[in-house]
Amino acid sequence: MKSKSDTAVIAYVASPHAGYLKLFRAYEGSTLYVLGDEFIRQFPALVRNLPAVTPEESCKMIQALCIFREVHVLTLDVLKTIQHLNIVMPDEDVSHAVATKYLAGKCVTFDDRWKLRWDWGAVHAQRRPEGERVVSVEEFDREIMRNAYNVANRSPDWWRQIGAILVDKSGGVLLVAFNQHVPNEQSAYLYGDPRSNFEPGDCIEVSGALHAEMGVLAEAARRRFSPEGCDLYVTTFPCPPCAYPWAHTGIKRLFYVDGYSLVAGAETLQANDVEIIRVDMTSPSP
């Protein structure tokens, strides 16, 4: 096993924060190389990174923490001199691109334990919401979900059929909706569906359909009805553009069966005291 003195950590560091410090402390005593401007200019998303400080400023901040033996700005010339070392990089898109272009055939370890920024992989990561409560015994929740699936079957969207039901405090059904194409249900049959150009999870904002969750919210607004204190049942976990506004409606709980949280969907709901509950439709009831 190589010693820490033989280890070089290479990373893009927009601005040192807790996630970076956890990564760095796992390799305490090694040498850190912060991607310099020669590399940053190759990635437009990094150039547009608003919180970013300069690589030189990042180095000064990190050096003051006395975690690494040495801290340097990585240039192309410096990279040529360290390729014999055991190289560690955070597991994100920029690291992989740099390694593919400049470190082909070299020993590179990609550490995936840390969330450092919204890189391409993090944006598209499908994650179970943390702190969810799995419900497998409540027949009422299952019955509402069965109704939600029946509602979803009415959707003309061949890409994905979603049903959503808003339930009041006493368990009464208030509003239902399914995802449907706009400006009318025949639009996709006449012009095609723009979603067909993308894989699942890619460019989720490009859609020719009104999502079921937003259909419920729009109908509540039309009726001048507040969802505060109610529960929302949706067959698939809401996408970020749906999760964010629902987080601010005052609903008490969000129930779902399938799907994952993308970006900050679950975190935004939980930050607004919305309990997330996954309904288990298959486990036997007691």
Side-chain angles (χ1 to χ4, degrees), residues 166 174-177 180 210-227 246:
L166 188 67
L174 298 173
L175 298 170
V176 301
Q180 53 187 313
L210 174 67
H211 289 195
E213 304 95 307
M214 297 308 293
V216 170
L217 192 57
E219 183 63 16
R222 189 182 71 83
R223 298 187 185 187
R224 298 183 179 180
F225 169 77
S226 172
W246 270 104

Side-chain angles (χ1 to χ4, degrees), residues 110-121:
F110 294 100
D111 193 325
D112 64 355
R113 291 176 290 177
W114 323 105
K115 176 183 175 182
L116 304 180
R117 64 186 184 89
W118 286 119
D119 67 294
W120 183 259

Side-chain angles (χ1 to χ4, degrees), residues 35 39 54 65-66 73 76 106 121 135 145 155 163 209 211 236 245 263:
L35 291 187
F39 296 97
T54 68
L65 296 171
C66 300
V73 174
L76 289 172
K106 306 301 179 182
V135 176
M145 279 300 184
S155 171
H211 289 195
T236 302
V263 191

Side-chain angles (χ1 to χ4, degrees), residues 4 8 19 22 38 46 61 78 82 121 158 179 193 196-197 201 227:
K4 291 183 177 179
K22 289 179 182 178
E38 291 175 274
L46 302 189
M61 295 178 191
V78 171
I82 65 171
W158 62 69
N179 57 317
D193 189 344
S196 63
N197 293 293

